Each structure stands twice: as structure tokens, then as C-alpha cells.
Amino acid sequence: MSRIDGRKNDAIRPVKITRDFTKNADGSVLIEMGETKVICTAAIEDRVPHFLKNSGKGWITAEYGMLPGSTQTRKVRESSRGKVDGRTQEIQRLIGRALRSIVDLGAVGERTIWIDCDVIQADGGTRTASITGAFVALVDAFYKLKEKGQIEKLPIKSMVSAISVGIVEGEHMLDLCYQEDSNAKVDMNIIMTDKKQFVEVQGTGEEAPYSYEDLMEMLRLGEIGNQELIRHQKEALGTIADEIGL
Amino acid sequence: MSRIDGRKNDAIRPVKITRDFTKNADGSVLIEMGETKVICTAAIEDRVPHFLKNSGKGWITAEYGMLPGSTQTRKVRESSRGKVDGRTQEIQRLIGRALRSIVDLGAVGERTIWIDCDVIQADGGTRTASITGAFVALVDAFYKLKEKGQIEKLPIKSMVSAISVGIVEGEHMLDLCYQEDSNAKVDMNIIMTDKKQFVEVQGTGEEAPYSYEDLMEMLRLGEIGNQELIRHQKEALGTIADEIGL
Amino acid sequence: MSRIDGRKNDAIRPVKITRDFTKNADGSVLIEMGETKVICTAAIEDRVPHFLKNSGKGWITAEYGMLPGSTQTRKVRESSRGKVDGRTQEIQRLIGRALRSIVDLGAVGERTIWIDCDVIQADGGTRTASITGAFVALVDAFYKLKEKGQIEKLPIKSMVSAISVGIVEGEHMLDLCYQEDSNAKVDMNIIMTDKKQFVEVQGTGEEAPYSYEDLMEMLRLGEIGNQELIRHQKEALGTIADEIGL
Amino acid sequence: MSRIDGRKNDAIRPVKITRDFTKNADGSVLIEMGETKVICTAAIEDRVPHFLKNSGKGWITAEYGMLPGSTQTRKVRESSRGKVDGRTQEIQRLIGRALRSIVDLGAVGERTIWIDCDVIQADGGTRTASITGAFVALVDAFYKLKEKGQIEKLPIKSMVSAISVGIVEGEHMLDLCYQEDSNAKVDMNIIMTDKKQFVEVQGTGEEAPYSYEDLMEMLRLGEIGNQELIRHQKEALGTIADEIGL
Amino acid sequence: MSRIDGRKNDAIRPVKITRDFTKNADGSVLIEMGETKVICTAAIEDRVPHFLKNSGKGWITAEYGMLPGSTQTRKVRESSRGKVDGRTQEIQRLIGRALRSIVDLGAVGERTIWIDCDVIQADGGTRTASITGAFVALVDAFYKLKEKGQIEKLPIKSMVSAISVGIVEGEHMLDLCYQEDSNAKVDMNIIMTDKKQFVEVQGTGEEAPYSYEDLMEMLRLGEIGNQELIRHQKEALGTIADEIGL
Amino acid sequence: MSRIDGRKNDAIRPVKITRDFTKNADGSVLIEMGETKVICTAAIEDRVPHFLKNSGKGWITAEYGMLPGSTQTRKVRESSRGKVDGRTQEIQRLIGRALRSIVDLGAVGERTIWIDCDVIQADGGTRTASITGAFVALVDAFYKLKEKGQIEKLPIKSMVSAISVGIVEGEHMLDLCYQEDSNAKVDMNIIMTDKKQFVEVQGTGEEAPYSYEDLMEMLRLGEIGNQELIRHQKEALGTIADEIGL
């Protein structure tokens, strides 16, 4: 079986990371993975949530949305429905956790970094693309803080990226597009650091359980994909990546 | 007094209209007016609101949003607040009315066209840019219907565009950017057809009333701006504009 | 064509302004314009919204509602639906803007004046009647402040009133009743001061665009109507009007 | 101890019932009990809630609100808060139950009667005044149905009215005004028919329990008050009261 | 007519009060009245609502819920519906009032006692069982405060319990189960102290009014039931009851 | 390092599964894992969500809640806050997915099984206990359907259970209690079938990433725990387990 776009099972889609995509946020990245396109911005606010007041520590929180026109059938706007649905909440929490895990929050100072990931075109893998793009926006926002002299060095412990893996018609595939994802029996998101460590592993047997061997193979693919993504992140960050020792 | 960007008082900012900006919606336009950037999509749904069932008529409805990262200070996401604020509702209603007024709804059939205008970068005039861009997305969506043979001709009676005018430090200015808008004593939005007729006029003395003469001068500027915008719309639509007799 | 109630096209309906309609609010006015009846109250609160704290300035905010029994088909109560609809929000914002534009907020002190306009019987023109009536309630509330010695003089720069105009079956008409409003092709609300200046102009081609000449004729009618209303406001205010130099 | 307004402990305040207070609802009553003023309207809708579909039976439902300007300190508008508070819900349910208990719902047909009680001036006893006034509005709405030939006779089994009783500084008092109510140790609402039967008794020891003897005395006062109110309702209804055998 | 479970009309169902049912709350009681089972917990918080700040007084507030699986037809979860319905609010307010009326709030200190009554199995009389059980949980919570030395003695003025009474097929019955309640023409809840005083009496003629004699008979049954319940509460509290002089 | 309760790192807490814990739901289970106690009920409804109408297939949906008194600091009731928080939504979706993955939905018929998991005492691992208990309640509900002759055999493809694993102070531990969970650097939930297949794996490095070796060790512990739980489920189900070939 060959994939819809002719890719090999262990290949990710073409990746394009555009920094400074918009001008008002502290970091602003357009990430494209194949036809999936997400705007990731980072905005710094000089205060922290209630539970961190006077702790000297910072916080990172993430929000995620899909533009109504991003999907083939128009997606109802969550603000109009008056609430954020469960899937969105799950994704928001996932992005936030992923970024917090690789940042030294104690070195951020009492600031909140708001990460916003807004999908303008959806073709599968929007949550993983969001994490990968948001990392770059986050670095840019921290870099701006450093340039203003508000922090001494970027409080980043590792790079982080994320990719999806799945089992479609019996085959283990990396970086599923929407059509593949719709047919996947098992769907897994793997978030890793540049040191090949796991930040989060979430694997769901949507329609059927999966075996230990399946799990091992998916972990292998996930590592390949994340290594590739981290290469793209470094390339996009250019000299900043060197400067901060990534 | 010269304007921030050196423009004359009766000049609009550089306009750029990109069609097919994203691939999933039936019409998808990125409109840029200076630094203001709005994604306008149009999506066709094969049903109508309750009050039009079995009427044979169609409907156009619009929603508007600003990405959190589109503004200098991060804008709180309306879905997270759980409600759409008054300003957003006003703008949504304005866009919907403007587009309905130039469409022959009876010729649309029992369909709803959902217009979504999402600001990705804000620098004043987002509601008027939304209308101008949404018109182009709407034409594209209708054109797609026609190509599928679902309608015979585009149900469009006129072109429509919109521009802001205002009085800033005593001077009447066309197409205010954010900084000008913040200092404007009077703020007016003028929506016009290509036949120089008015679709909507809204002029507010934010801090002080304005005279009859002020009103006349603002109407004059509005006509200049809208004529210019309609030229840009025609150019963007290319052969379609001719084909449908715009 | 003659109008439903035999009025001339440039005539407003019979106006009645009853002050002190209820006893608990600081200002309380019943305004009747033909069969449209609105209770307008003004209540003074000794604090201001967050954005004005320590500014020394005051604020005016307005809320609007229709009693369920005010319309021919019972209007669903907004508190039961759990949200205020777009039309209500637009009207609330309009009333607030109109009153703020003619008040010297710096002379109000750090106080909020809450204006409440509640329609008890609706027959068209409820938003304009609200503004006209609310102005009188506002004067009464300020007068009470002055009598208590909390302000030295009434912080009112101009009088303000509002009237609707429209084009019904090709004729330009002043002060539309509900049935006329339902058939109007163009609907305009004009808010003016006693100095014949504009506070707000909102003209919408509900079903079709309108010409420059239409606009000029509607502005002419609007001025006639507002001059008449200001005469009624002065009469209702009696000696207070003189005393404060209106 | 004498009462604030010099009334005897077993006297109600002056009652005034104005029918046809507004013109759009099917029944519209202004009830005044002393300084408490409530607009009660009844609107007939030709459908029933889900649980009564195809039952042949009708329904009566009530909503209650206080205008923001009705109280000495402005009452926050429930529609703005986005929810109806517990007190309002309790009162709405109470009014609905009271009216349903004296109507032959089987003879109403599949119709819902919406009762709306809106307090325009509050001075204690608004819920009981609402019930007493709503009964008259309900009769008027049914009478309109009968005149249109949609029902043969008014489906009313009894008249119903309501009054408050309480214990203030050790004395048992009838029909408490706001100031008395604020000081009451025990507060009771008694809803009765013209046959001196109980529709609802609700007696709360706000700050302290009360004895069996207290309860007996309050029931005695409640009967006096309700008999008086029913006399006022009959007077207001005039010939209709006779015609329907009340 | 004999009752469903063979009880006499003046008999309550078997009562079982289990203290320390769960371990985390300050007081935790499972009350069973026949097949009705409610978990009542009391939690102490070291702050008071806004209106009591710096008053030195404490507060008691109650919340009530039914597990979805507690009823024969699954009850929709109120958190999923996004709001608490009117019946729940009424019950919450009733429980709170009942407990506050027998506590010396001035002796509680600036603390809030949160009472939570969660029905795990419903068979009629859940609100009255909640009050009876919550009293015991409240005593346990206060006892814990005393043991910690934060109060000197339990601030309880009386014991309180509650029971339902009704008229079913013409007979006056005590402590209705669900099936009896469904058929009751009159439904009354009676909350009393151990001194045979009334805290609250609520009697509703659901379908028909009731006579003075009916009311007297229901009050008699209510006293019997409450006396019995107070005996059970004392037994459950054991030595604590003596110690605090109940 | 030894664990708080002296357990070995690869030992689960004492498990107790009580069937028929309440009488109204179709399945009702109390599951206790150490001090964590959850009531799991299953209720059958004879209709399916919109997207399954006329598909012949059934659906399983789950809701989860914590009683306010279940935690050491009282948990705010979600119905009172008016919305379900992100954590709850995540858990609800997890439980639903887990149960759907092991049921043959096509054999359920057009029915929805509502699973409700309500935590009455929380000490860590409430989501995994919910899944383990809910499976038993689900079997009981299906068994009831079969006894009524509405299905021929239980549509269950595998058994399913869930357990938490984590890394606490450098040690890999099975079935974390609350205190251990609070200190865990990595937290993983593993849902497995009786055939040792994975239904879901979710492992999060809360504060730091984890290595491949860590992941392998946690998977090993998860299998031990789930095997043990499945033994308890079988024991609880008794002859039913045999009868349905589990």
C-alpha cells in the first residue's frame, strides 16, 4: 500500500516554518506541515496566575483554535457556541504541558507566556504542528525579553517537537494527513526533546486495542519524525539556535 | 499636519487582495490594507435558518473574530470568555447586512453562505477590510456553485466595499490606521456599492458632536476610498469580474 | 400615500415625557412616543469601571431591555435565554455613547451613572425614544447630585435627542411606527444636540442601497424631528432647563 | 408599636389594580400595593411544552423580573449577569404553581399561557402582588380566547390571591413593606382561593424558629388579607367576574 | 388504603445515619430513609462571603445534587447542562436557611461551612433527608473545630430535622416515598427543632387547594416525624449529643 | 525508599468491587482502590446521538464528577461554576473511548449506554478506577438487556481495566496514591484488555522528560497492575464472567 501523497511510511510531510509571520505578538510563527497550516504566536504578560503570585516563577499557558474556514465542512466557531469543546481543551492542555516541561519556569520571572495556536488550514496533525511551531514562537518571545535586558539568558532546557503516528490499514505510518487519520485504527501523538527523551506519549486504540509490538514500532517512527522536526526548528531559528546552545 | 505614514488625507493605504489563500473553504481571501490583515472565507451550507425554511430564499450570515495575537496587547479569546462581546456582535451584524443588501437572496436557493472574517493582524479598519475582502470571497463561493451547475448565474446585484473616515486633530482623513483611530474625535464607516450608492453609513462623535459640514466632507472622502477599493476588487477578480458583468 | 395614523411625512408622533415616574431611582422618566412607551431610569453609583480608577473622571453606561409583554408576540426574556442578543447590545452601546458625548465626564467625579431603558410597550423607535427619555432622567440624576452638594453645576454640554427616519414605499418618513418600520427599505437613526450637531448617524439600506439624495432628505427630516423633541425635553424639565442654561 | 405608615397590624396597604395597562399582551395589569408596583401580563401561545404534546392539556408558566431602577440600590440586570438567580427562580416557580392550581388545564387546550411579572417599583411583597395581579391578567387573556370562540368558558376553578405576613419586633403583621420585611424574624407568604382554601403556605424563620401559636396567628392574618384582595380583584374585573361566576 | 410498604400513615421509613462515611470532609454522613440515600458532607473554609467580611460572623451555605444514576430514568448532570435548575436552587436555599436558623453564626467566627448533599439513590424526600443528615455532618464539623481549639463550644442553638407530609388519595401521610409523592395532591415539607418549633413550613397544593383542617393534620404528622428523626440524630451523635447538651 | 503504605513498587492497593451498590441504574458498582472510592453506574437509553441515527449502531458515552466533599480541600461543584473543566472533559473522553474500544457497538442496537463515574472519596487514580469499575457496571447493564431479551449475547469483545504508573523520587511505582501522585515527575495511565493489549497509553513528563528505559519499565508495571485488576473484575462478575466467556 502506498500513501495518498506517495510518501514512505516513515516520512513526514514537507515542513515550512516562517518566523515573524505577523508583527504584533512577541513571537509569531506560521508552521506548515503539508497542507496543515497553523499560526503560533507567543505573547508575554507581566503577571502570573493566582497560584504563582510571589513565587518568583513564571507560567506558560496555551490556547488553540481552528478558524471556521480551516476545515472542509465549516467548523462552528467556539465563541459563538459559548464554550470550548473537550477536544480543544485537551489540545490546549497538551500544548501547555509540553512547553512548560522544557522551560526553566523559575528563570522566567513572574511572567506568563500566552501561546496561541490558530489553525488556518487543517489536514491532520494540527496539535502536533502547533507544539512544533509554538516552540519556535516561544524562543522568539524569550529572545525579545533577553534583548530588552529583562532576562539574562533564554530559560530553555531542551527543544521540543511533536508528531503523530498511527496504524492505517495494518501499516504503521508517520505524520498522518487527515484522510489517513480518519482511517486509522490506532492514533498516537509523540512529543520529544532534542535529546530523544519523551515529554508525552498518547496512543489510543480508536477502534481496536493494539499490541506491544505495534507500540514499539510507533515509538520508533515517532523518534524519526521528531528528529527531523527538530532539524527544521534549528534551521528556522538560525543563529539564535547556536547562540542559545540548542 | 502630515499623516503617520505620509499619506495624503484622501488616500487609502496599500491594498492587497489574495484569493484562494486557504484551500478548504468555498471562497478564501486574504485582504491586506496597510498592516491590517484579515482572512475572509465563505462556506456554503445546504440549509437555511428556521425563518426561511420552504421560502426558496437563501441567507448570508457573517462571523468576525480577532486572533489573540493580532493586537499589540494580546486580545482575550472570546471562546475562552464564553461569550462574544458587543463590539464583535455589532461588526458581525454589519458585515452580514452589507453583503445581504447586494445579493439577490431569492436567486441563491435554500442555502446559507457563512462568511468568516478573522483578523490575523490589526492596525485599524478591520471591519471595513472584512467587508471588502468578504465580498471577493463571496463571489468565489458563488462562482463555485455556478461551476457545479447549482445556480445559473451569480446572484450579485452590485459590488460592495467599505472604508473608514474620521476627524483627527481637526482634519478629515480617509482610512484611519490604529493610531489615528485612537485619536479620532469622529469615526465613520461608509459602505458603498460600485454604483456609488450607500449600503450603510455609521458616523459617531466619540467625544464630541460634529457638524453638517463635517458630515459632508466625510461622505466625500468615503466615496473616494470606496471607488478605489472597488477597483482593487475588480482587479483581484480578473476575468470573473467581466464574466459576471461587474 | 398617507401614513397609517394620518401623520404628515415630516411629523413625529405625540410625545409625552413624565418625570419621577417611579420613586427609587435617582432619575425616572416615562417617555411615550405614540404607542411606544419606555421607562428610563438613571442611578448613580460611587465608583467607576476599572479603566477609570484614579482618573478623577466619571462614566455613563446604559442597559436596554424589552418586557416580554411589550411586543405583539411575546418576546423571550433575555435573562432566561442566558444572554443578551446582538440587537440589545448594539442599542445599549448606542445609548451609552450618545449620552457620554454630551456630558463633561471630567466634571462628574469618579461616579458611574447607570442608565436603564426598559420598553413596556413597543411600537417602533424604541432605541431613539430611549435616548430622548434617558437624557431627561440623566439631568434629574445630576440635579439630585447638585442638590446634595456633590457637584457644583450640571456637567452637561448639550441636550441630546434621537429620532428614526426611513424610506417606506418610496417616501421619506419621520419617526416610523412599527408597521412602517417593517416595510422600510432604508432605516436611519439620527442623534443630534440642541445645537443641531450630529452625535450619531446610522443609516442602513436593509434591502437595497440608497442614493446621496435620499441621505440628504433623511438628514433634513431628522433635524426637524430632533428639534421638536428637544422642545419637549425642555418643556418637561421646566425651570431646571433654564437654571442649567439649556 | 405602630407601623411605619400608621396601618393596623391586620391591615393591608392601599390596593389599585389597573387592567389593560399596556396594549400588546393578551392580558395586562398594573397592580399597586402601597408603593410596590408590578406589571403583570399574560400571553397566549398555541403550543405546549414537550411533556404535554398530544395530551390535549394546556400549561401556565411564569417569569418574574425586577427592573434595575425598581430598587433603592440599582439591581443588577439578570440578562447581563447571564443567569437568573435562585430567588427569581423560586418566585417564578411559585407564581406558576399558584395559577396552575386554580385553572382547569384540561379545558385550556394545547396552549401555554405565559405570565410575566415585572416589578417597576419595589417596596416589599412583590411576589405576592405578582400573584394577585397575574390572576387578573390571566382572566383577561382567557376572556379574549373566549371572545374569539376558541374556548367555551373560562377554565378557572377559583380565584387566587397572595399576601405576606410576618413577625416584626414581636408583633404579627399583615402585608409587610420593605422596611418591615427587613426586620422580620419570621416571614410567611400565604396564597389562598376565594373559598378560603390554601394554595401554598411558606413560612420561614429567617433568624429564629417560631411557635405553633405564631403560625396560627399568621394564618389568621393571611386569611384576612387574602379576602380583602379578592374583593379588589372582583371589583377590577367588574362584569366579567359576574359573568364567569366568580 | 394501606401504603406501598405497609407502613401506617403516621410512620416514617427506616432511618439509618452513618457518620464518617468518607474521610476527607470535616463532617461526612450517609443518611438513609428507606431507599433514599444521601451523602451529606460539611467542609470548613476560613473565609466568609463578601457581605460578612470583618463582621466577625460566620456563614453556612449548602449545595445539593443528584447523581445521574440516582433516579430510575438517568438524570441529566447539571454540570453538563451548564446550569443549576430551579428545583435544585430552591432546595439548596432551603437547606442553607434551615441550618443557619439553628446556629449562632456570631460564635462561628469568620468561617464558611459548606454543606454538600449528594443524593446517590432517590426515592422521595431527598431534600428533607438532606437537612436531617446535614445537621449531623455539621455537628461533626463543629466538633472538629472545637477539638482543634478554634472554638470553645459548639455554636448550635437547637437540633433541626425535616420530614415530608402529603395528601395521597385523600389520606394524610407522613414521609412519602417517590411513588406516593407522585400521586400526592398536596405536598408539604416541615422543618422543626428539637423544641418542637418551626424553622420552615412549605405546603403546596400541587393540583388542588387544601383546607385548614388538612393543614392542621399535616402539621400534626410533621411533628411526629420530626420528633422521631431527632431521636435518630441523637442516637447517631452518641456522647457528642450529651456533651453539647442536645 | 519505601512507599507511604508500605506497598512494594509493583503492587496495587487493595481492590474492592461492589456490584448493585444502588438500585435505580441498570448497572451500579462501587469500586474502591485503597482510599479512592468511585460509584460507577450504567444507564441504557433507547436512542443514539444524531450522528448514529438509522445506523443500527449503539453508543457509549461517559461522564465523570467528583463530589465536593471527596477531596481534602472542598472541590468547587462544576454545576455551580456553570461549566465542566478541562481535566473533567479529558477524563470523560478517556473513559468513553476506553469502553467503546472493547464493545461491539454494531451489536448494541440503537441504544446509548450512559456511564457515570462519581468519585465520593479521592486518593489518586480516580480516572483509572473509574474505567475499571465502569467496565463491570457496563457488563451488568448489558446483562440486564440480555435478560429482557433485547440482545442475544453481551456485545463485549474484551475486558478492560486501567491503572496509573509513575516515577516518584526516581523510583517507578504502580498505582500511585494522591501523595505519591503529587510528587511524581512522570505520570502515566495505562488501559489494557485481558489479552494484554493496549487500549490507551498516556504518559506525561509533568516536570521533566523521561527516557525510553523509563517508558519500558512503566509499561511493564502497567501490565502487572492491569492483570491483577482483571482478576478482580472476573471475581466480582462471578458466573456472569464465565457465561459470557470472559
Side-chain angles (χ1 to χ4, degrees), chain D residues 167 172 186 188 208-220, chain E residues 188 190-193 195-201 212-224:
Chain D
I167 306 181
H172 302 79
V186 179
M188 182 168 252
Y210 54 96
S211 70
Y212 188 84
E213 290 68 33
D214 288 327
L215 176 55
M216 292 304 110
E217 174 61 7
M218 290 189 286
L219 292 172
R220 191 186 69 82
Chain E
M188 183 168 250
I190 299 175
I191 311 177
M192 296 181 77
T193 68
K195 284 100 185 175
K196 297 193 187 179
Q197 287 197 300
F198 296 101
V199 166
E200 185 132 352
V201 170
Y212 189 84
E213 290 69 32
D214 288 329
L215 176 53
M216 292 304 110
E217 174 61 6
M218 290 190 287
L219 292 172
R220 191 185 68 83
L221 291 176
E223 186 180 308
I224 293 173

Side-chain angles (χ1 to χ4, degrees), chain E residues 74, chain F residues 41-45 59-63 112-116:
Chain E
R74 180 181 180 274
Chain F
T41 56
I44 299 164
E45 188 187 26
W59 189 243
I60 298 172
T61 193
E63 292 191 348
T112 298
I113 319 298
W114 288 85
I115 299 295
D116 287 286

Side-chain angles (χ1 to χ4, degrees), chain B residues 84-91 93-94 97 100-102 127 157-158 188 193 196-212 214-216 219 223, chain C residues 84-91 93-94 97 100-102 127 157-158 188 193 196-212 214-216 219 223:
Chain B
V84 173
D85 71 20
R87 174 185 171 273
T88 296
Q89 291 212 36
E90 249 179 58
I91 294 175
R93 288 160 58 90
L94 182 71
R97 275 200 310 270
R100 286 194 298 272
S101 76
I102 52 89
R127 79 184 70 186
K157 300 186 289 189
S158 309
M188 181 168 253
T193 69
K196 298 194 185 177
Q197 287 197 302
F198 296 102
V199 166
E200 185 132 354
V201 170
Q202 285 198 346
T204 307
E206 295 280 353
E207 295 181 31
Y210 54 96
S211 71
Y212 188 83
D214 288 329
L215 176 53
M216 291 305 108
L219 291 172
E223 188 181 306
Chain C
V84 173
D85 71 21
R87 175 185 170 273
T88 296
Q89 291 212 37
E90 248 177 59
I91 294 175
R93 288 159 58 90
L94 182 71
R97 275 200 308 271
R100 285 194 300 272
S101 76
I102 53 88
R127 81 184 69 186
K157 300 185 290 188
S158 309
M188 182 168 252
T193 69
K196 297 194 187 177
Q197 287 198 300
F198 296 101
V199 166
E200 185 133 352
V201 170
Q202 286 197 344
T204 307
E206 295 280 353
E207 296 182 29
Y210 53 97
S211 70
Y212 189 83
D214 287 329
L215 176 54
M216 291 306 108
L219 291 173
E223 186 181 307

Side-chain angles (χ1 to χ4, degrees), chain D residues 144-174:
Chain D
K144 213 164 275 183
L145 265 190
K146 179 167 168 274
E147 285 191 316
K148 291 188 198 156
Q150 300 187 305
I151 53 177
E152 273 185 39
K153 62 191 205 67
L154 271 59
I156 287 177
K157 301 185 288 189
S158 308
M159 296 180 72
V160 69
S161 67
I163 197 79
S164 76
V165 208
I167 306 181
V168 185
E169 298 187 25
E171 298 196 28
H172 302 79
M173 291 180 183
L174 181 60

